[in-house]
Amino acid sequence: MAAATDTPLVNDIRSASRTMVRELGFMANTLAATPYSASAVHALLEIDAHGQVTAAQLAEYLGLDKSSVSRMLAKLIANGELQEEPCADDARAKQLQLSAQGQRTVAGIHAYGQTQVRSALAQLNPSLQQSVAQGLMAYAQALQAHRLGSAAGQGSAATSATGSIQIHSGYRPGVIGRVAEMHAVFYARHWGFGAFFESKVASGLAEFSGRLGEPCNQIWTAVHNERIVGSVAIDGQDLGNNQAHLRWFILDDGCRGGGVGRQLLTQALAFCDQRGFASTELWTFQGLDAARKLYESLGFALVHEEAGQQWGSTVVEQQFSRRRHGA
């Protein structure tokens, strides 16, 4: 079993996780310049986030057994960090909240953590900073989903990585360059495409952007922290015959597999149906299996394929088509 799961990807993630544990200070007896253990620091942060919690709720949030949480809370109460009040609807239970001293302690923990993160991000360029934020968010949610799913006897559970990613329609400053960049980076890394491909994407987007005022054309972008991390467009003019052309569907590395792509495509296809297009067509090429699975789940079917070089390299080009719902 170990040999089957110890892939380079798994090993890389495990190695990075060990480094993070060390660099964030979790190997020490205390954390975040406090006299408290990592679990106690996280307990204070959870109580701060929720305002008031019971010991049972805190045990669930932290994923710890109730006896361990009880001992930890007794120490925090004795040190003046927490105060207890009877629950309004259950006199046997106690609500925990931060004392004035606890609020000062938590403020110090936040300041310490923010300094750590800012210092680390200063070592990275803006693109990598976004990738770190998106990747950590998705990975943390996946770990949580696995834990909750296992606890429920289900093995694993799906989770959404779209929490802080917003979908916007219409032109946004920088969209041409950013969408061209995402295409160029992904397809150069995985398919060896070069300057010809990037320039074709950029010039096509620039021409299309000049037609966004037409009601049959639209572009959607996924935005995280004011940075574009995904896109899709519907060109209602270039094919004619009342057909919509789905173009420039791309996601940044950090948000693949988290539901963002489905959100983008769902909005684009709803637009096509509302506008009454007879069909929606898209062109891609053989080998993009994850994208193909998504297209087919949304009603697209492969209608044609042949070898071609329109992308600058020889690939098996594919045309997918989706008929308008209700047609």
Side-chain angles (χ1 to χ4, degrees):
M1 181 67 69
T5 57
D6 285 346
T7 65
L9 177 62
V10 170
N11 286 333
D12 286 347
I13 292 174
R14 292 183 63 210
S15 177
S17 296
R18 291 194 298 272
T19 300
M20 288 179 63
V21 165
R22 291 193 296 270
E23 296 301 325
L24 289 172
F26 284 93
M27 300 296 288
N29 292 328
T30 62
L31 185 68
T34 72
Y36 301 120
S37 66
S39 57
V41 167
H42 280 264
L44 291 171
L45 292 172
E46 287 294 335
I47 294 170
D48 177 55
H50 291 88
Q52 286 187 330
V53 299
T54 65
Q57 289 171 328
L58 188 62
E60 183 178 348
Y61 296 149
L62 297 175
L64 297 175
D65 63 85
K66 293 180 180 179
S67 60
S68 297
V69 170
S70 294
R71 290 192 297 271
M72 176 178 61
L73 290 175
K75 180 178 179 180
L76 291 172
I77 292 169
N79 288 353
E81 305 287 359
L82 301 176
Q83 55 192 34
E84 293 180 301
E85 293 182 359
C87 289
D89 55 353
D90 186 355
R92 296 170 299 176
K94 300 288 183 66
Q95 289 278 11
L96 297 159
Q97 63 185 33
L98 296 176
S99 65
Q101 176 183 317
Q103 292 173 9
R104 291 191 294 271
T105 299
V106 167
I109 293 169
H110 284 309
Y112 183 92
Q114 288 165 358
T115 298
Q116 272 190 312
V117 173
R118 289 195 184 101
S119 298
L121 290 179
Q123 312 298 315
L124 307 174
N125 63 43
S127 181
L128 280 174
Q129 290 175 5
Q130 293 293 328
S131 294
V132 167
Q134 294 158 21
L136 281 175
M137 178 178 66
Y139 185 52
Q141 289 175 331
L143 287 171
Q144 183 184 52
H146 173 72
R147 176 175 64 83
L148 296 176
S150 297
Q154 299 170 350
S156 63
T159 189
S160 171
T162 64
S164 61
I165 297 177
Q166 304 296 320
I167 307 298
H168 298 270
S169 61
Y171 171 80
R172 289 180 69 84
V175 67
I176 297 171
R178 177 63 181 139
V179 173
E181 176 193 4
M182 286 190 291
H183 277 79
V185 170
F186 177 81
Y187 288 100
R189 179 184 302 143
H190 297 285
W191 296 91
F193 290 4
F196 176 86
F197 173 74
E198 182 175 356
S199 62
K200 186 167 184 176
V201 172
S203 61
L205 269 167
E207 186 275 331
F208 174 74
S209 295
R211 297 189 279 112
L212 275 173
E214 298 293 333
C216 60
N217 300 327
Q218 188 56 279
I219 189 168
W220 294 261
T221 49
V223 179
H224 180 255
N225 290 340
E226 299 302 315
R227 182 174 176 80
I228 294 172
V229 295
S231 70
V232 69
I234 293 295
D235 189 334
Q237 293 178 297
D238 67 334
L239 297 181
N241 299 317
N242 196 31
Q243 292 180 314
H245 186 183
L246 190 147
R247 311 179 73 179
W248 302 301
F249 176 53
I250 189 74
L251 296 172
D252 202 29
D253 284 342
C255 58
R256 289 195 179 91
V260 179
R262 181 174 292 275
Q263 280 195 351
L264 285 167
L265 289 176
T266 298
Q267 291 203 23
L269 295 175
F271 173 85
C272 292
D273 292 338
Q274 291 164 5
R275 291 289 171 183
F277 289 109
S279 69
T280 304
E281 312 294 319
L282 70 86
W283 279 261
T284 181
F285 56 88
Q286 194 177 82
L288 298 172
D289 296 332
R292 175 173 180 167
K293 184 177 180 180
L294 180 55
Y295 296 145
E296 290 177 334
S297 74
L298 292 169
F300 283 92
L302 177 66
V303 295
H304 181 72
E305 63 180 356
E306 63 177 315
Q309 292 185 315
Q310 68 161 314
W311 311 108
S313 299
T314 301
V315 293
V316 178
E317 297 175 0
Q318 298 176 318
Q319 179 184 354
F320 286 80
S321 182
R322 171 189 178 272
R323 301 293 296 177
R324 178 171 63 89
H325 282 189

